[in-house]
Amino acid sequence: MHPSVHRSRLTQTFSRLSRLVAGCAALLPSLCGFAAETAEQPMELDLVVVVASKSPRPIAAVAAQVSVITAAEAARGMVEDLDGLLRYEPGLDMTVDGTRFGASGINIRGIAGNRVAIEQDGIPLRDGFSVGAFSNGGRSLLETDRIKRVEVLYGPASALYGSRALGGVVAITTWDPSDLLSRTQGSVWSSVRAGYQGSDNSWVGSAMLASGHQAHGLLLAASWRQGHQLEHQAPAGTPDDPQDRDSRDAQLRYTFDTAAGHRLRLTVQGMERDTETQMVSPLGFGRRFRTTTALAGSDHDESQSYALDYAFSLGGWQQGEIQLYRTEYSIDQLTLETRAKASPAVGLARRFSYQQQHTGADLTLFREERLGGTAHRIGVGLEWVQADATEQRDGVETNLATGESRNSILGEIFPLRDFPLSRGTQIGVFVQDEISLGSGRWEVIPALRWDRHELD
């Protein structure tokens, strides 16, 4: 290659590099400005959870295993029920009682029933109770459109929640007006949603309206669902259990923020659900149904809840909350069975009713202190709950040939109660200290709880 040509190419390359360096230098101030602007924006570095210590804590600072499911994740997954919401959480399953009663509770690592505490905004949901194949008062589960987030605490949490949390805790948080108003610059936020789910041919309609003015906030929400039985993948010819479901749900929430930064919140909520089921799959099978030719169930479930809570900081306690609540649940289930293949042919009518009311109050206080060179996060709490429960079963057997009826089925004389009219009162007191050692590398959490139970 001629030397002049070589020098020409070197000159061109140097010129290009010079222009590139000059361009980068020109961009440097704007890049620095962008970095400074980005640095000024708030960034959420860690999730904050409440379930582990009954107060907001970064999830990285929590010793227990906690899972968090947000409303955004539910929206991305097009979730329409709690079963879909919890489907991909390890060690967590819905308890399902047949095609008629469906999802009735939550199972955490093999422990289910009333040994898993389920709370909505700090208020415990009703206890489940079932007897036989035709009476099932499962846990009352929430409309998914109300859910802001779900926190699951795996393993025992009896120090903070009592013996009902032997298997773990599922804490459901619902929307506040301020949560929804933060999405808009105005004082009103609204949402209307309609949807269809092919797995059970169900329709849903939902509406929410949030408004705020100065220290006041208001949230109105309502939902309606109508669906049928779940489709199955069983072999062709396997019978369905036809089902029609209809549910209605409404909520009113009012919040008031005081000048001192405290918050008062009032919540009223109601739900009704009706289910009609034709149970075809068990007909003619086993000892129980070998003579049964028709089996149908009609179930009605309703609930109302009223809650007043006040969040504050006072007298050295950085976080405090007082909560008063009243919940009322009622279940009515009717089962009609025809045994045309029996001798004599009979018709059986069974009715199950179950009511439960909870009246409760609780106080929790938390403060942070340094004692003897160690950081302490001290929490104390006081809980009082009064639970009234009523249950009754009734039944009539009718001879289809003669029309004669009697109030006895399989040796049981109706009406009857499986437990007396009951009022249970519980008082619980707990104290907990989260002690941080070794510049935060170690944490020791001693806790003590005292409970008193009375049953009349």
Side-chain angles (χ1 to χ4, degrees):
M1 180 180 294
H2 195 277
S4 63
V5 175
H6 184 68
R7 285 195 297 270
S8 176
R9 290 184 177 178
L10 286 175
T11 302
Q12 292 175 4
T13 302
F14 180 77
S15 177
R16 290 172 183 171
L17 288 173
S18 299
R19 288 196 298 270
L20 179 61
V21 171
C24 291
L27 286 174
L28 187 60
S30 60
L31 290 174
C32 293
F34 173 77
E37 181 182 353
T38 303
E40 293 175 359
Q41 296 178 355
M43 297 180 63
E44 184 177 353
L45 300 178
D46 203 356
L47 281 173
V48 175
V49 297
V50 178
V51 65
S53 61
K54 285 198 171 186
S55 65
R57 295 279 282 155
I59 195 170
V62 173
Q65 180 184 348
V66 177
S67 292
V68 180
I69 308 169
T70 65
E73 294 171 329
R76 286 195 298 268
M78 302 181 70
V79 169
E80 296 293 345
D81 53 32
L82 277 181
D83 188 14
L85 189 66
L86 306 178
R87 182 171 300 163
Y88 300 109
E89 291 300 314
L92 199 63
D93 298 290
M94 296 298 298
T95 302
V96 179
D97 292 311
T99 56
R100 174 180 178 181
F101 301 115
S104 59
I106 298 176
N107 183 307
I108 299 180
R109 292 176 175 172
I111 300 179
N114 296 330
R115 288 301 182 231
V116 172
I118 306 177
E119 293 190 346
Q120 176 188 335
D121 297 319
I123 300 175
L125 300 186
R126 74 175 176 223
D127 298 325
F129 176 80
S130 62
V131 54
F134 309 108
S135 308
N136 191 306
R139 313 290 292 271
S140 178
L141 302 179
L142 185 65
E143 168 61 47
T144 53
D145 281 359
R146 305 287 173 273
I147 296 177
K148 176 185 175 182
R149 60 193 285 151
V150 177
E151 300 176 15
V152 181
L153 174 61
Y154 294 81
S158 299
L160 296 181
Y161 294 91
S163 60
R164 60 191 176 91
L166 180 64
V169 182
V170 179
I172 302 170
T173 303
T174 60
W175 296 106
D176 278 338
S178 58
D179 299 324
L180 302 175
L181 291 174
S182 64
R183 302 178 177 183
T184 178
Q185 300 298 325
S187 59
V188 177
W189 179 93
S190 62
S191 171
V192 177
R193 185 177 74 92
Y196 171 78
Q197 184 170 263
S199 60
D200 58 357
N201 296 311
S202 63
W203 293 90
V204 58
S206 176
M208 288 195 291
L209 173 66
S211 66
H213 178 67
Q214 296 179 352
H216 304 274
L218 184 66
L219 172 64
L220 298 173
S223 298
W224 165 83
R225 290 183 183 271
Q226 188 177 64
H228 305 279
Q229 71 278 4
L230 282 170
E231 296 182 357
H232 60 73
Q233 302 298 320
T238 303
D240 287 323
D241 289 337
Q243 186 177 77
D244 296 318
R245 301 191 309 273
D246 185 13
S247 66
R248 300 156 299 280
D249 180 279
Q251 185 186 61
L252 166 67
R253 172 164 287 173
Y254 166 76
T255 61
F256 176 72
D257 297 317
T258 69
H262 307 164
R263 165 165 286 194
L264 178 69
R265 184 172 66 174
L266 172 66
T267 306
V268 179
Q269 181 171 303
M271 181 276 293
E272 282 189 322
R273 181 171 60 239
D274 292 293
T275 307
E276 304 288 336
T277 309
Q278 298 288 332
M279 289 157 283
V280 180
S281 58
L283 301 184
F285 290 93
R287 295 184 57 187
R288 182 185 292 272
F289 300 111
R290 68 176 184 271
T291 62
T292 301
T293 55
L295 185 61
S298 178
D299 307 325
H300 179 77
D301 189 350
E302 65 177 89
S303 66
Q304 298 85 37
S305 65
Y306 315 88
L308 179 67
D309 52 83
Y310 184 62
F312 62 92
S313 58
L314 185 66
W317 298 95
Q318 289 90 3
Q319 297 173 5
E321 183 175 10
I322 300 175
Q323 187 173 55
L324 307 173
Y325 61 87
R326 167 78 174 181
T327 59
E328 301 174 355
Y329 302 99
S330 177
I331 293 176
D332 185 78
Q333 298 172 347
L334 175 64
T335 305
L336 300 177
E337 181 179 2
T338 301
R339 295 184 176 181
K341 295 182 179 180
S343 181
V346 295
L348 307 176
R350 299 179 175 90
R351 182 176 293 278
F352 169 71
S353 62
Y354 177 59
Q355 295 83 34
Q356 191 176 69
Q357 297 85 37
H358 284 171
T359 304
D362 59 71
L363 167 67
T364 54
L365 298 168
F366 293 90
R367 68 189 303 166
E368 297 182 0
E369 292 186 358
R370 294 197 64 86
L371 301 173
T374 60
H376 295 254
R377 182 178 175 83
I378 302 171
V380 297
L382 172 64
E383 303 172 358
W384 172 84
V385 181
Q386 179 177 282
D388 296 287
T390 304
E391 178 267 351
Q392 180 172 294
R393 286 189 293 136
D394 204 350
V396 175
E397 178 182 293
T398 303
N399 188 307
L400 298 181
T402 65
E404 180 183 357
S405 298
R406 60 175 185 170
N407 62 333
S408 175
I409 300 177
L410 299 177
E412 290 186 309
I413 307 300
F414 296 101
L416 60 82
R417 301 187 189 277
D418 297 286
F419 60 83
L421 303 179
S422 303
R423 166 169 288 182
T425 304
Q426 175 185 345
I427 300 175
V429 180
F430 72 85
V431 58
Q432 175 176 288
D433 188 4
E434 301 178 34
I435 307 173
S436 180
L437 304 173
S439 300
R441 294 191 300 270
W442 299 89
E443 191 165 84
V444 180
I445 311 176
L448 180 66
R449 183 181 182 93
W450 173 84
D451 280 303
R452 177 180 175 85
H453 297 264
E454 292 184 359
L455 178 64
D456 295 328

